[in-house]
Amino acid sequence: MEPNVNQNLGYPTPGYQQQAAPVISVKDWMLTMLLLIIPIVNIIMLFVWAFGGGTSPSKANYAKASLLWAAIGIVLYFLIVVLIMGTFFASVKGMN
């Protein structure tokens, strides 16, 4: 636990100040969005922002959430393709 946190209650003691993360400016978000529309670069940058050091917590959380949504989309896409291909091959086999 942190040195100035009350051990019993888990909240900061009166002399403790939590350091806030820096605010990301509009210019930085515009650059972020620009990099995310470039193929291949977007995936690489999401991994760098999500798991690399030195990135602000809000951008790191955004990158992690984007990677999770991408993984969910890939899994759903794969399941739909498998179902469609299975249905197609079952109907072709049924014709013989």
Side-chain angles (χ1 to χ4, degrees), residues 34-73:
L34 177 66
L35 289 173
L36 290 178
I37 62 173
I38 303 171
I40 308 296
V41 173
N42 57 4
I43 297 169
I44 294 168
M45 291 308 297
L46 283 174
F47 277 103
V48 169
W49 291 328
F51 305 112
T55 305
S56 72
S58 60
K59 189 182 281 189
N61 287 337
Y62 175 78
K64 289 173 189 173
S66 295
L67 289 170
L68 281 172
W69 277 117
I72 290 168

Side-chain angles (χ1 to χ4, degrees), residues 4-82:
N4 289 334
V5 174
N6 187 321
Q7 298 294 325
N8 296 327
L9 302 176
Y11 60 85
T13 56
Y16 179 75
Q17 290 184 354
Q18 187 174 3
Q19 201 168 19
V23 175
I24 300 175
S25 68
V26 173
K27 181 181 87 172
D28 290 337
W29 279 119
M30 293 294 289
L31 180 62
T32 299
M33 290 179 185
L34 177 66
L35 289 173
L36 290 178
I37 62 173
I38 303 171
I40 308 296
V41 173
N42 57 4
I43 297 169
I44 294 168
M45 291 308 297
L46 283 174
F47 277 103
V48 169
W49 291 328
F51 305 112
T55 305
S56 72
S58 60
K59 189 182 281 189
N61 287 337
Y62 175 78
K64 289 173 189 173
S66 295
L67 289 170
L68 281 172
W69 277 117
I72 290 168
I74 290 169
V75 168
L76 288 176
Y77 178 77
F78 179 75
L79 289 174
I80 290 169
V81 167
V82 167

